[in-house]
Amino acid sequence: MKIEQFKTMIQLLTLISVAFIFLSCQDDYDVTGGQRHTEPPVLVSTNPTAGGSVSPFADGIELLFDREVTVVDLSKIQLPGATVTGSSSAENTLTISIDGMEDNKDYTLTIPTGTIKGVPGILNQEDIIVKFKAGAIPEITKTLVTQNASSQAQKVYNFLVEKYRKEIVSGAMAKVNWNTEEADRIYRWTGKYPALNTFDYVHHYASPANWIDYSNTTVVENWWNNHGLVSIMWHWNVPAAEGSSDYAFYTDGTSFDITKAFTDGTYENTQVKSDLNKIADNLLLLQAKNIPVIWRPLHEASGGWFWWGAKGADAYKKLWVMIFDTFKAKGINNLIWVWTTETSDESWYPGDAYVDIIGRDIYNNTDVSNLYSQYRSIRKFHQNKMVTLSECGNVANITDQWNALAQWSWFMPWYDYDATDDSVHAHATKEFWTKAFGSDKVITRDEMPSLK
């Protein structure tokens, strides 16, 4: 071997040795800062600060360390009164994800010894403790969006505000339209009536007829006179096509184009105005008898399965405001307006000036943590509005939901068209109602005050 080749080989071996030593020592360095750490990770600051306050809807607590850290065992992290749901690291910030905090309550986050490690794999050698407070949620708006609201409507709203997150109102849905058949079944099952009954103007196009006549308000009057709360929704049937005698409210059943409803002279505009005038006249009959109405039109819009949601958020909101303004011009002042939200549909919200209460419709969901998560997400976005389970079916029992902090204003299972007293109910069984009425948090009609 020539002397030059020998020198080259020696140099190559030296480089390999240096590289090996460097790589074997990499765990001794914080590669982002270029600093060698021989001590446990040091907590620099927290958000919120120790003793500080955070929104009860906060998604997590942030901890800034002197280096990047990771969680070794999430199950060891303690937050009594709430739930630790996960963790994530970004540069030197560790975020502990949390859920289930209550407002105006003190909390202590504890990360025990040996729970986190920082570069180069050194575990924390002592407990990390952060004490903080979940702050207050903004107060619920006290005034109805309807100007000069009737005294009865304001009393009903005040009652709901007073009971919100203290007790939950029970409700039933009319079997199709203008009756209390479901409420009567619940009474036969339990010996008690739900506090609220929801009616439906679904057959407005046919009324008055010998089988449906919304001008006959006897059933609503009887319910109100027995201290029951009156709610009305509207499956808005329109002709399947211009001039058709068939009617539909599902998008796939009609060619009705909501975007044309705002242009004078169009078929859609004429139809909408006619329908709104008819519904207004029916509501005025109830107003004349001092009956307030929890009013829930245009529900579940963003899903697109109803024609009023088939053309997007802007057209939908324009129709909502058109209804609101039409009723205002008619002098209707006995309504409490409920808007129904779906998942991720904030752009569909008509606005605080047009909505009193936020509703959510949930079916086939017995996961209480998910039900609470849905409730929480709505509350986070609409902090000054009450949130209600405006429709439901086959959901977790109300006590479990309540204990999981899904504290809706009211709950209302849907009717089962084919149910009998002895059959299994598709949406709310006898067992469901028995458990619900066994809770001291659930308000039944016999517990309702007169709100006249």
Side-chain angles (χ1 to χ4, degrees):
M1 179 182 294
K2 294 181 178 180
I3 191 68
E4 290 79 5
Q5 291 175 322
F6 180 77
K7 289 180 178 179
T8 300
M9 186 173 67
I10 293 298
Q11 290 173 344
L12 179 61
L13 290 172
T14 301
L15 288 172
I16 292 172
S17 298
V18 170
F20 176 79
I21 294 170
F22 177 78
L23 290 172
S24 67
C25 294
Q26 276 298 287
D27 276 352
D28 289 340
Y29 289 85
D30 177 348
V31 295
T32 59
Q35 178 183 0
R36 182 168 183 168
H37 292 287
T38 59
E39 300 295 328
V42 176
L43 180 64
V44 177
S45 62
T46 64
N47 182 22
T49 58
S53 180
V54 66
S55 167
F57 301 116
D59 294 321
I61 302 299
E62 295 180 344
L63 299 96
L64 178 66
F65 288 87
D66 64 337
R67 74 200 77 164
E68 185 176 350
V69 301
T70 56
V71 174
V72 176
D73 188 350
L74 187 70
S75 66
K76 289 184 178 180
I77 299 178
Q78 304 159 18
L79 186 62
T83 303
V84 174
T85 59
S87 67
S88 60
S89 298
E91 297 183 347
N92 291 11
T93 300
L94 174 66
T95 300
I96 304 299
S97 301
I98 57 177
D99 201 356
M101 288 194 302
E102 298 182 56
D103 55 308
N104 293 312
K105 186 173 180 179
D106 294 321
Y107 288 93
T108 300
L109 176 71
T110 302
I111 303 176
T113 300
T115 302
I116 62 171
K117 68 176 180 179
V119 176
I122 303 175
L123 299 173
N124 60 309
Q125 301 299 304
E126 58 184 23
D127 291 354
I128 297 172
I129 298 174
V130 181
K131 294 185 177 182
F132 63 94
K133 183 182 183 67
I137 300 174
E139 289 190 0
I140 300 297
T141 302
K142 297 295 194 298
T143 306
L144 291 170
V145 295
T146 298
Q147 293 181 1
N148 302 313
S150 71
S151 61
Q152 292 81 15
Q154 191 65 56
K155 285 180 182 178
V156 167
Y157 183 73
N158 291 346
F159 172 82
L160 294 173
V161 172
E162 176 191 349
K163 295 299 181 181
Y164 189 51
R165 300 179 66 224
K166 298 174 185 174
E167 297 175 76
I168 182 170
V169 173
S170 57
M173 181 67 205
K175 187 175 180 179
V176 182
N177 50 45
W178 210 234
N179 58 69
T180 59
E181 291 186 28
E182 279 293 299
D184 294 337
R185 186 196 321 282
I186 295 164
Y187 177 79
R188 291 192 297 270
W189 276 345
T190 66
K192 293 184 178 183
Y193 279 103
L196 174 148
N197 195 81
T198 297
F199 303 89
D200 194 342
Y201 283 135
V202 61
H203 293 131
H204 73 283
Y205 63 91
S207 176
N210 58 1
W211 59 277
I212 183 65
D213 184 0
Y214 294 123
S215 67
N216 183 349
T217 60
T218 302
V219 64
V220 184
E221 292 176 59
N222 289 341
W223 187 261
W224 172 247
N225 288 335
N226 281 291
H227 297 181
L229 297 176
V230 173
S231 172
I232 300 180
M233 60 186 301
W234 185 12
H235 281 87
W236 190 343
N237 268 302
V238 293
E242 185 174 0
S244 174
S245 58
D246 294 325
Y247 286 80
F249 48 77
Y250 284 120
T251 299
D252 59 6
T254 178
S255 60
F256 196 85
D257 188 346
I258 182 178
T259 62
K260 298 178 181 178
F262 316 108
T263 303
D264 289 340
T266 63
Y267 146 67
E268 287 85 356
N269 180 260
T270 300
Q271 186 69 48
V272 164
K273 286 181 176 179
S274 174
D275 289 349
L276 289 181
N277 285 333
K278 194 169 186 178
I279 295 298
D281 289 342
N282 286 318
L283 289 170
L284 285 168
L285 291 175
L286 298 176
Q287 180 171 304
K289 295 173 181 177
N290 296 319
I291 300 175
V293 174
I294 299 170
W295 172 239
R296 190 169 76 98
L298 305 183
H299 64 297
E300 301 175 11
S302 66
W305 46 81
F306 297 128
W307 63 260
W308 50 85
K311 298 293 185 178
D314 290 342
Y316 168 77
K317 289 186 289 188
K318 196 170 182 179
L319 182 61
W320 183 283
V321 174
M322 184 179 184
I323 299 172
F324 189 93
D325 289 344
T326 298
F327 289 179
K328 179 180 178 181
K330 290 279 188 178
I332 296 175
N333 68 349
N334 64 329
L335 304 183
I336 299 169
W337 291 75
V338 182
W339 177 70
T340 312
T341 176
E342 296 295 300
T343 304
S344 302
D345 63 348
E346 289 84 1
S347 64
W348 292 69
Y349 182 53
D352 285 350
Y354 301 98
V355 176
D356 295 305
I357 299 172
I358 311 298
R360 170 60 64 87
D361 297 351
I362 302 176
Y363 288 86
N364 302 316
N365 190 337
T366 57
D367 183 347
V368 292
S369 62
N370 178 266
L371 290 164
Y372 165 71
S373 179
Q374 293 192 53
Y375 172 85
R376 180 179 180 272
S377 68
I378 302 168
R379 284 284 283 149
K380 185 176 182 179
F381 190 76
H382 301 280
Q383 295 188 22
N384 64 340
K385 302 289 184 182
M386 290 182 284
V387 177
T388 190
L389 189 56
S390 43
E391 284 181 30
C392 64
N394 188 28
V395 293
N397 74 68
I398 296 304
T399 298
D400 288 348
Q401 291 192 54
W402 188 269
N403 291 340
L405 301 182
Q407 296 174 342
W408 315 97
S409 177
W410 70 83
F411 66 96
M412 190 202 73
W414 200 251
Y415 67 84
D416 184 340
Y417 189 84
D418 297 319
T420 67
D421 288 5
D422 298 325
S423 69
V424 176
H425 199 290
H427 300 301
T429 62
K430 179 179 180 180
E431 180 183 12
F432 174 91
W433 281 110
T434 301
K435 286 183 177 180
F437 285 176
S439 170
D440 61 358
K441 298 295 184 182
V442 175
I443 301 172
T444 52
R445 196 178 73 175
D446 58 296
E447 299 170 319
M448 288 290 299
S450 172
L451 297 172
K452 292 184 176 181

